[in-house]
Amino acid sequence: MPQGWGDACSSVDAPRVGGSLSCIVGHPDGPTLLFAQGLCMRRMAGTWARTLQLGALLVMAACGDSTAPPAVGSVSVVPTSIGPIAPGATATASADVRDASGQALTGRTVTWSSSSPSVATVSSSGVITGVAEGAATVTATVEGKSGSAAVAVRVPPALVLLTPASSGLLVGASVTLTLTVKDANGATLAGRTATWSSSNTAIATVNAAGQVTGVAMGQVIITATVDGQSGTALVTVTPTATVTIAPSPFTVFQGGTRTLTATPRDAAGNPVTGRTVVWTSATPAIATVNAIGVVTGVASGTATILATIDGVQGTATGTVISAPVNTVTLSPAVGSFVQGSTQVMTPTLRDADGTALTGRAITWSSSNTAVATVNGSGVVTGIAAGTVTITATSEGKSGTATLTVRALDLEPALVVTSTTAGDTTQRVLVLSGQTATAQPALLVRNSTGGTLSATSVRWTVRDSSRATVSTTGLITGLRPGRTFIVAQSATNSAISDSLLVYIPANSTGALLRTASPSYRIVATDTFSIVVQVEMRDGKALSAADFEISWPGAASYPYNPFTVTSVTALRAGVVLSVNGDYTETARVTWASTTPVSGTVALVRLNCKVAQRGIPNQIVLTLNQLVASDFSNITAAANTFNPIVIVP
């Protein structure tokens, strides 16, 4: 302050001007009056009287207008309703302050308060924080005037469920859905109000209480929304009001069937067409039902069958009774089998209507147990040659079958050989030309090796494109290759034998074979097989690659022997075999010197592993080098000699 200016507010008895304290600051050159609310007037180098003589004019001129600020007329809180907010969440409110004429006032101090701090608190700046679920009122006060707003605090829903989630509804009928609201912890939130809606009000409507009313046939989704979280339910509106099943009650025999019919009707009792029926049995141990309403009796008792259409269920009650056995038949009714073997009998039980019956007890018996016996499962065992009657009895009804047991020493066994009937080692027949003919020999023996007289034989050929066979067994070649000729007993199709037939090209060819095409091992545990190539028509062999295979030890029961070693018999032969000699041997003749005639390649030294089982050695020409082998295709089995191990 400049030199000579005095303190403005030190005098407690300073006069007030216009209701406010005035301040006269003295100076030697003359007083100057300053107006400031709350300041006082100080006496300076004169008296108050001298100062007051200046009058109101000097005061107004020096200190300006002394009018007071407008008073607060009203206070309101914006917004007037807050929430719902979750516990821990916040919302901000503001105070709208106005004077008596409605003009907004600013810069006034606002005091905030909450009616229930345990529900919601409010800060000095109007920030509201949710504490616990409930209702509270926040109040803003300015210079004695107040305004308030309602605050709602609610736990937010995490899941809204409608029950039932799926339901059927008739046109014009109503169903009320149950609303369940849960929080994030799975606790149920009570007292929540939902906003309901229908995805198609032309099919079904829903009111504020969750009551759904069917309008027309179809499906709608009903949605309930609570605090932004929604749940849905599927409602199917159908015209079906009732479902009736006919006949009801019904009767069906055990093991028999009965067809039921389901009829849907609307609320007026009129039949409804084109609806899908779902059939179920409430008592499947007594009776079952299929998809088209056919009931099958399972056991004696009372059965309940259900038909469901559009969610509406109809019920039929029936009785399953045991239909008595009327007839028993056995299959085969007439038959024969060899002494020591078995024959399985198949019984068929029927009621008076001809319906097959199951689950009935059957008693079996034999008319002569010295000829054949029968067990409780209908398996007949031949004891001695003769004829026997097998009987099956159920509920007093019987069926019979007549069986003949054939003597084992009279049972025929066919042996077809290539040349002489007594020479069982000759099992491969090579025609002299592509269209040549040959007549194989036929030997008929019994099962123990005894010779029998010739019987009627049916002859067939496996590959009729390569050869034909007449009714007497005459073979005629058609084209190069190999096939089997089969002789079969006319009286017992299970008795048969076969002969391997080779049809060569008319001009040139080679034959991969063993030294003996068939082996019969009787009294020794070891034997040898010599594999050789036979050149025909004067042609020569230069080089070739072969594979010899036999069953491995893991192939039981088709492993009557194993190969213990493979030995080369000619210079230039290279062997490649697996480690245990139980599967294959690769034989390559690497010599470039052509040879003619019969060329022995390798010897397979074998050991008997299983007696009484026939087996085969498979010789395969894998790769052809010389053009002389034009009649044999690559990777073709040349022939399969049979080894018999009795």
Side-chain angles (χ1 to χ4, degrees), residues 125-388:
S125 59
V127 177
I128 301 167
T129 302
V131 177
E133 188 162 298
T137 300
V138 293
T139 302
T141 302
V142 180
E143 299 176 9
K145 300 294 184 178
S146 298
S148 62
V151 178
V153 180
R154 283 206 295 269
V155 176
L159 181 65
V160 176
L161 296 176
L162 296 183
T163 307
S166 178
S167 60
L169 187 64
L170 290 173
V171 174
S174 298
V175 63
T176 299
L177 302 179
T178 300
L179 173 70
T180 302
V181 184
K182 294 180 180 292
D183 64 15
N185 296 320
T188 300
L189 302 177
R192 298 305 171 92
T193 300
T195 300
W196 296 84
S197 63
S198 169
S199 63
N200 190 340
T201 56
I203 294 176
T205 61
V206 61
N207 64 15
Q211 184 182 61
V212 183
T213 301
V215 177
M217 187 171 65
Q219 285 186 328
V220 295
I221 300 295
I222 301 299
T223 302
T225 302
V226 178
D227 294 341
Q229 190 71 33
S230 297
T232 62
L234 175 66
V235 176
T236 302
V237 182
T238 69
T240 302
T242 61
V243 176
T244 57
I245 302 177
S248 180
F250 63 89
T251 301
V252 62
F253 285 116
Q254 181 181 348
T257 61
R258 187 70 179 268
T259 301
L260 304 181
T261 302
T263 302
R265 299 180 184 277
D266 61 19
N270 301 312
V272 179
T273 60
R275 315 309 296 160
T276 299
V277 184
V278 178
W279 293 93
T280 55
S281 172
T283 54
I286 304 298
T288 60
V289 62
N290 67 9
I292 59 175
V294 177
V295 178
T296 301
V298 177
S300 299
T302 300
T304 301
I305 304 299
L306 308 175
T308 304
I309 303 175
D310 297 333
V312 181
Q313 197 172 78
T315 303
T317 301
T319 302
V320 179
I321 60 176
S322 178
V325 176
N326 187 62
T327 60
V328 178
T329 57
L330 295 180
S331 177
V334 177
S336 66
F337 61 107
V338 180
Q339 174 187 356
S341 62
T342 59
Q343 172 68 57
V344 178
M345 305 303 298
T346 302
T348 301
L349 283 60
R350 298 185 182 277
D351 60 16
D353 295 331
T355 302
L357 305 176
T358 59
R360 307 303 173 89
I362 300 175
T363 302
W364 295 88
S365 63
S366 168
S367 64
N368 189 344
T369 56
V371 175
T373 60
V374 61
N375 65 13
S377 300
V379 179
V380 182
T381 301
I383 305 300
T387 301
V388 66

Side-chain angles (χ1 to χ4, degrees), residues 529-551:
I529 299 174
V530 175
V531 180
Q532 61 189 31
V533 174
E534 180 182 346
M535 302 306 301
R536 302 164 62 230
D537 299 328
K539 298 298 181 181
L541 176 66
S542 295
D545 195 8
F546 309 98
E547 185 175 89
I548 306 166
S549 62
W550 56 91

Side-chain angles (χ1 to χ4, degrees), residues 86 122 163 179 300 330 340 366 372 411 427 456 543 561 570 623 629:
V122 60
T163 307
L179 173 70
S300 299
L330 295 180
S366 168
E411 188 67 14
R427 310 307 303 279
S456 176
F561 64 85
R570 184 175 179 83
Q623 183 178 7
F629 297 98

Side-chain angles (χ1 to χ4, degrees), residues 534-580:
E534 180 182 346
M535 302 306 301
R536 302 164 62 230
D537 299 328
K539 298 298 181 181
L541 176 66
S542 295
D545 195 8
F546 309 98
E547 185 175 89
I548 306 166
S549 62
W550 56 91
S555 303
Y556 180 82
Y558 304 104
N559 60 337
F561 64 85
T562 59
V563 177
T564 59
S565 64
V566 183
T567 306
L569 298 179
R570 184 175 179 83
V573 172
V574 179
L575 302 179
S576 173
V577 296
N578 65 336
D580 56 4

